[in-house]
Amino acid sequence: MSSAAVPHPRTHTEPAPRSGRRSVAAALLLGAAGAALVLLAAGRTWSKATADVAQGTLPQQASGQDVTALPGALAIVGLAALVAVFAVRRAGRLLVAALLALSGAGVVAAALLGVHDTTALEEKAGKVNGLTRAAVDHVSHTGWPWAAAAGGVLLFLAGLLALRYGRHWPAMSGRYERDGAPRPRRARTAPDPDRPEELWKALDRGEDPTGG
């Protein structure tokens, strides 16, 4: 009697490509959503107040860009780093992934510092009164700084994914496959003698269409 075939045990290296593909999708989604949320929040109103003028009171408002330009700038840096992750390899990929994570952390810090900031409102009130800065009253803040901070968290998470799984991600190169092996070049076929246009193309390339 022949012995029953023993199934080969599964290796532990199989889940790596699958986890790599999942992490790529997650990082792209988190990074793109985070950058878009930060840029959206940076253009919205973060705080409102009233300033005393000669005619009475004048409403003032400050956008995220008025309060601090850092979140919007760091969001663009993070988005560029997210794309650059796929253009570099090895140590370069780790550095770009770290830049992506740091960009997200910087957005969070800058947004939280601007939650209760009134400097931009005071500067706008001062311009109305011909001063450098002026006092403002009835100050209120919106939720857009918190939205910017949330976008920064998403960018930070995308950076962590790139640091953890980036070595499994493909690179933007037409000469290499996902495993880094060079793609084999296709053999150039001889021109069809029945097609004159192929003969002319071969002559333009400096080839002998007769194969001699």
Side-chain angles (χ1 to χ4, degrees), residues 154-195:
L154 296 181
L155 283 171
F156 180 72
L157 293 177
L160 292 184
L161 286 175
L163 287 171
R164 173 64 179 84
Y165 299 102
R167 64 181 183 275
H168 299 304
W169 294 357
M172 292 189 301
S173 175
R175 296 181 56 192
Y176 295 91
E177 299 287 354
R178 289 189 175 184
D179 57 359
R183 293 181 178 178
R185 294 184 177 180
R186 294 182 179 180
R188 182 173 293 174
T189 58
D192 187 356
D194 295 331
R195 301 182 62 183

Side-chain angles (χ1 to χ4, degrees), residues 6-17:
V6 179
H8 295 283
R10 295 183 177 179
T11 62
H12 295 285
T13 59
E14 292 180 359

